[in-house]
Amino acid sequence: MYARVIIDIAHANVDRLFTYEIPEGIAVQPGHRVLVPFGAGNRKTEGFVLAISSETDVEQLALKPILRTMEPYPALTEEQIALSYWIAEAYHCLLVDALRLLIPAQMRGGRVKEKTVRTVRLRPGVDLAAAKAALLTKTGVSRAPKQTEVLDLVAQAGTYMSTADLCAFVPGASGAVAALLKKGILEEEGQETFRSPFRTAVETPGKALPFTPQQQAAFDGIMQSVEQGGGTCLLYGVTGSGKTEVYLQAVARVMQEGGKAIVLVPEISLTPQAMERFRSRFGARVAVLHSRLSPGERYDEWRRIRLGKVDVVIGARSAVFAPLTGLKLIVVDEEHEPSYHSELAPRYSALEVAAKRAKLNQAVLVLGSATPSVASYRRGLKGIYRLLTLPERINGQPMPQVEIVDLRNEFRAGNNSIFSAPLHAALGQCLSAGEQAILFMNRRGYSTFVSCRGCGYVVKCPDCDVSMTYHKLEGVMKCHYCGRTARIPKVCPECGKPYLKGFGVGTQQVEEQLAAQFPGVSAVRMDLDTTRTKNAHEALLGRFTRGEAQVLIGTQMIAKGLDIPNVTLVGVIAADAMLYIPDYRSGERTFQLLTQVAGRAGRADKPGRVIVQTYTPEHPVIGFAARHDYPGFYQYEIAMRRAALFPPFALFLRVVLTGHDEAALAEDAARCAERLRQSIEDALVQAGGTAQELLLLDAAPAPVKRREGLYRYQVLARLARTKHTAAAVRAAYAYHDAHWKAGMGDVEINPGSMV
Ligand code: ADP
Ligand code: ZN
């Protein structure tokens, strides 16, 4: 028998199948990871077996044997092998890079191991009473009290008990255990354990809530798709409309019928609170995958899934690759979230991968959101997705009332504080009523930039083309791109006058002014600076959820998933901050963020109030968000995109080039643009289209022109979406492969970030 093997080396020259002989006595299946001799020196190298055959046209003498399997079971399922071929094709990456997505990184090179613990039990057939009696002296006292205690404990347990547990009850029990083992009263076994990411066992199993009629209709829609053997459902439901309850019961139903499910949520909303909801419903049959797991925990969760001990996987983006077999349902919550697109190559979209896996398994994909992406909602309206709607909050709770405050009026009225008069009054009321508030400010630090009032000079990072942010608590300016820090110069480097001052508000300043205007109030600040350590996120949120802090100040990391009954006020300090980012999605992102943040208010029986401060109250996006009018926003946005020919009516294609020599880089980029234009236009014409389908192709400095000391230029193309687009994209990839040189990035299609 012969195995077709992909060597685990990421290089285009070896990214193909090599044939190896399977020696007698080694059981190898497709999906096994194996160790093979590779290259001239026959270096022992890891690889993936993708196929087995009984014949080969490779000469017998040239054949090398597989040395051994890395795991006793195939690491990849048959479906994952098919998926990896699709990923390599769809994202134009090496097959081995696709395969690497499918297993925990630490597994390669054997960097994580199974953990075994030493366990003991009473040897079957041993008479406990007799064994204990033998330990007694004539007067009836134990000669070895520890051994007696251990015996009692083990007998009570009735099964294997770890020596670690025994030592917790009987200090220094190991000597006693050794003695009892020697006497043959106990017997031991090394037992494999799974490191659990959970600290506590499930306490109270959660029960399914009786559905509202709308939830029932949505659930029925999903189940109809399940019965039909596939398809995509878009569950558009306002915040607090009970989407999660629908997911939970859909998963439960699928499980009853023997199927398995994956639930994807944005990393940031994988709060202990959210995970608990799933665990309490499904208990030990749930695995969780997120970035805070240790490598050992991640490996063990992955193994539990692969070995079939799990029916439901809940996790962030990469959990879409979870090795479940018998997959029947994939849920993607908050489907509009940009974090579902990987920023690292392979630049996959978890939504697209989920759709592919659903197809391979005849499973159903459910996309859920209070603010669906414009592209998804369009498919819903066109009937490509089954559109399911939850238009109201649970129990007819009203949507929170949103007030827009015009900051220009505040300034005219002489209010220089970052809290407008209405927000100040509302905060005062909320705090004195003993309720809680959330203040949203989507920028960290104290002030967003430092500038000279004399000449207008703005301090920039010497390595990056961005202004430095002032961090008052640390007493430094920081570059948010490269992390470089510097002190504020005493005088302006440009004009020499001592007029340097911070401008623009960040979270630290909100915290400071809150403390100044509401003395004694307790606040927690959550941003990248306060959540760097492993459990900081959890600890800070815990303080707020338990009511130990009255105000939560934070960036977008607090916008999602929080469900705290006592929060009655949400203040958005500056809604414009995100509206003017140079990206065609800035309107969509602003609407999404405002809606998510507003949705944190009034989730229980107390009504919620939201105050949005802005310098442009007339902007339609802010108006739609304030009225909770997603359909209205969608109509506005899609009309804009159609008129401007932006996605989903077009597709961006970008190559970033970096280098130290700006002039050479500019020249390179111009040449690259010209050749790329040729390739794309030729491909369009050959495919039966016209060169006019290429709407734009331009070489220019990237919006952030310098980063970590490197200049950045981009070649940006925009293509009308037609049936010839795929041919144009293939041509771009081919051009890139043929002309790749140092400093040239990947071809990015609709890059997640355009800066
Ligand atoms: P969403 O995911 O749409 O934001 P959730 O599923 O979190 O909404 O539901 C919001 C709140 O309503 C939660 O506290 C949840 O427990 C509760 N809830 C959901 N469905 C029901 C129901 N059918 N009956 C009673 N309460 C419900
Ligand atoms: Zn920098």
Side-chain angles (χ1 to χ4, degrees):
M1 294 298 267
Y2 308 98
R4 305 279 283 156
V5 176
I6 288 271
I7 302 298
D8 196 358
I9 295 175
H11 197 287
N13 289 347
V14 297
D15 199 51
R16 57 197 165 84
L17 292 161
F18 291 89
T19 303
Y20 282 89
E21 192 182 8
I22 305 176
E24 286 291 316
I26 301 186
V28 176
Q29 284 167 259
H32 256 114
R33 291 193 327 123
V34 289
L35 199 68
V36 293
F38 184 69
N42 280 337
R43 248 187 99 111
K44 289 179 183 173
T45 311
E46 290 177 17
F48 298 88
V49 175
L50 296 195
I52 303 275
S53 65
S54 53
E55 284 161 30
T56 180
D57 37 16
V58 180
E59 244 181 87
Q60 284 299 317
L61 275 178
L63 275 176
K64 297 175 197 170
I66 283 175
L67 301 174
R68 65 176 171 91
T69 52
M70 300 298 296
E71 289 87 25
Y73 54 89
L76 306 169
T77 65
E78 293 275 359
E79 179 226 330
Q80 286 183 307
I81 294 175
L83 186 69
S84 65
Y85 280 107
W86 177 84
I87 292 170
E89 168 81 28
Y91 301 107
H92 194 67
C93 65
L94 299 180
L95 191 51
V96 73
D97 283 329
L99 291 165
R100 285 176 178 183
L101 290 173
L102 305 177
I103 57 167
Q106 310 281 342
M107 214 166 134
R108 299 173 39 239
R111 282 167 293 161
V112 279
K113 294 262 177 308
E114 284 98 60
K115 189 171 152 190
T116 53
V117 292
R118 190 168 172 218
T119 56
V120 292
R121 69 166 174 179
L122 208 60
R123 165 174 296 196
V126 165
D127 182 344
L128 179 69
K132 278 171 74 177
L135 292 172
L136 300 181
T137 60
K138 281 194 195 101
T139 51
V141 243
S142 175
R143 284 177 286 124
K146 284 205 174 145
Q147 290 186 33
T148 309
E149 262 187 276
V150 166
L151 271 181
D152 280 334
L153 276 168
V154 171
Q156 257 169 35
T159 172
Y160 284 103
M161 232 179 133
S162 76
T163 40
D165 283 350
L166 282 168
C167 288
F169 288 106
V170 186
S174 41
V177 170
L180 290 165
L181 282 169
K182 208 164 154 203
K183 290 184 203 162
I185 296 171
L186 293 183
E187 65 176 16
E188 87 172 308
E189 187 183 80
Q191 257 185 0
E192 187 183 15
T193 61
F194 293 95
R195 280 154 285 206
S196 167
F198 304 110
R199 266 173 235 137
T200 54
V202 182
E203 276 160 21
T204 42
K207 279 206 203 73
L209 299 168
F211 275 148
T212 64
Q214 282 109 338
Q215 281 176 318
Q216 186 66 49
F219 175 85
D220 291 345
I222 295 170
M223 285 309 142
Q224 263 170 34
S225 289
V226 171
E227 270 147 39
Q228 290 164 5
T232 301
C233 302
L234 175 62
L235 178 56
Y236 156 53
V238 300
T239 52
S241 59
K243 295 184 289 298
T244 310
E245 186 61 34
V246 174
Y247 308 148
L248 285 165
Q249 295 197 35
V251 169
R253 172 64 66 83
V254 159
M255 271 170 69
Q256 269 167 25
E257 289 163 13
K260 299 191 177 174
I262 294 176
V263 180
L264 297 186
V265 294
E267 178 74 48
I268 207 78
S269 49
L270 267 177
T271 56
Q273 204 185 11
M275 290 189 285
E276 214 38 51
R277 221 166 142 187
F278 275 83
R279 273 188 83 216
S280 75
R281 213 55 82 81
F282 304 117
R285 302 299 294 179
V286 183
V288 176
L289 295 172
H290 56 73
S291 65
R292 297 186 303 280
L293 298 184
S294 69
E297 286 168 348
R298 170 170 293 273
Y299 175 53
D300 288 0
E301 286 293 85
W302 182 89
R303 240 160 10 103
R304 285 176 61 220
I305 301 166
R306 181 66 191 94
L307 300 177
K309 296 181 188 299
V310 162
D311 296 320
V312 193
V313 176
I314 163 162
R317 182 174 67 213
S318 63
V320 75
F321 301 116
L324 287 168
T325 50
L327 194 55
K328 275 282 153 272
L329 181 67
I330 307 179
V331 175
V332 183
D333 190 26
E334 314 272 13
E335 63 90 30
H336 61 276
E337 271 292 304
S339 62
Y340 286 125
H341 292 255
S342 174
E343 293 275 286
L344 303 172
R347 292 172 197 278
Y348 68 90
S349 147
L351 262 66
E352 290 169 359
V353 175
K356 181 65 191 178
R357 284 198 78 179
K359 218 173 202 165
L360 287 170
N361 285 285
Q362 296 180 321
V364 171
L365 173 62
V366 176
L367 306 176
S369 178
T371 54
S373 75
V374 169
S376 293
Y377 197 67
R378 186 156 176 264
R379 290 193 183 138
L381 291 181
K382 283 182 144 191
I384 301 170
Y385 293 166
R386 186 195 288 263
L387 182 58
L388 306 165
T389 308
L390 298 176
E392 285 159 28
R393 283 188 155 185
I394 288 294
N395 297 331
Q397 252 174 55
M399 293 301 286
Q401 192 198 336
V402 181
E403 298 154 53
I404 298 177
V405 175
D406 187 343
L407 287 176
R408 292 169 304 190
N409 293 341
E410 292 293 312
F411 185 72
R412 267 181 235 125
N415 178 8
N416 291 325
S417 145
I418 59 178
F419 303 119
S420 61
L423 181 53
H424 186 97
L427 263 172
Q429 255 172 34
C430 168
L431 296 178
S432 57
E435 294 164 0
Q436 289 173 293
I438 291 179
L439 294 177
F440 178 72
M441 179 66 240
N442 207 16
R443 280 182 308 220
R444 66 194 167 99
Y446 188 82
S447 20
T448 35
F449 61 100
V450 175
S451 170
C452 172
R453 274 172 302 172
C455 71
Y457 170 84
V458 173
V459 184
K460 286 194 169 181
C461 170
D463 290 335
C464 308
D465 179 39
V466 291
S467 48
M468 302 273 283
T469 305
Y470 177 48
H471 287 241
K472 190 173 183 179
L473 292 174
E474 300 89 323
V476 291
M477 300 182 299
K478 279 190 197 171
C479 170
H480 286 181
Y481 276 94
C482 70
R484 175 193 266 270
T485 60
R487 303 213 160 271
I488 296 192
K490 293 237 165 9
V491 296
C492 173
E494 201 75 13
C495 68
K497 301 215 175 74
Y499 294 155
L500 285 170
K501 186 178 176 292
F503 292 88
V505 177
T507 45
Q508 288 187 355
Q509 194 167 161
V510 176
E511 188 178 27
E512 185 184 273
Q513 290 214 14
L514 180 75
Q517 296 184 30
F518 299 91
V521 68
S522 52
V524 216
R525 173 167 59 90
M526 277 184 66
D527 54 28
L528 219 69
D529 296 316
T530 61
T531 53
R532 280 190 210 279
T533 53
K534 188 170 168 176
N535 291 318
H537 192 265
E538 214 175 307
L540 289 172
L541 263 189
R543 277 184 58 201
F544 188 63
T545 342
R546 289 190 301 271
E548 292 159 27
Q550 270 185 292
V551 182
L552 175 65
I553 301 164
T555 54
Q556 57 185 333
M557 69 173 63
I558 63 167
K560 271 159 237 116
L562 289 182
D563 190 357
I564 302 167
N566 200 31
V567 172
T568 55
L569 175 65
V570 168
V572 177
I573 305 294
D576 319 71
M578 30 192 177
L579 207 43
Y580 297 103
I581 297 165
D583 190 311
Y584 66 93
R585 287 157 296 200
S586 62
E588 185 174 2
R589 300 253 161 98
T590 301
F591 182 85
Q592 287 162 354
L593 260 176
L594 287 177
T595 306
Q596 299 290 351
V597 187
R600 302 305 117 216
R603 286 176 71 95
D605 43 4
K606 296 173 197 159
R609 192 171 164 198
V610 181
I611 296 181
V612 175
Q613 305 190 143
T614 169
Y615 285 101
T616 47
E618 67 283 354
H619 198 294
V621 166
I622 292 181
F624 288 124
R627 292 190 297 276
H628 308 288
D629 183 6
Y630 176 80
F633 161 76
Y634 170 81
Q635 293 303 342
Y636 161 83
E637 184 70 21
I638 202 79
M640 299 259 296
R641 303 262 187 109
R642 186 179 280 117
L645 276 175
F646 278 150
F649 304 100
L651 168 150
F652 280 104
L653 188 152
R654 181 171 88 151
V655 179
V656 175
L657 298 107
T658 55
H660 289 286
D661 179 346
E662 189 180 2
L665 193 59
E667 227 170 80
D668 260 12
R671 197 172 326 117
C672 169
E674 226 14 80
R675 293 216 192 121
L676 197 54
R677 172 189 295 281
Q678 256 327 303
S679 314
I680 292 179
E681 287 182 352
D682 289 353
L684 285 170
V685 172
Q686 255 173 36
T690 69
Q692 279 72 49
E693 290 168 36
L694 178 60
L695 302 167
L696 162 116
L697 199 145
D698 204 15
V704 176
K705 187 177 151 188
R706 227 171 144 231
R707 226 173 142 156
E708 297 176 45
L710 283 176
Y711 286 99
R712 305 169 76 234
Y713 271 66
Q714 68 179 20
V715 175
L716 186 67
R718 186 147 53 90
L719 286 150
R721 219 180 242 289
T722 66
K723 57 178 187 288
H724 316 119
T725 317
V729 170
R730 275 196 300 276
Y733 282 141
Y735 166 80
H736 183 265
D737 288 351
H739 298 276
W740 186 88
K741 56 187 282 189
M744 189 193 255
D746 304 318
V747 176
E748 298 173 58
I749 306 294
N750 289 340
S753 154
M754 300 281 275
V755 296

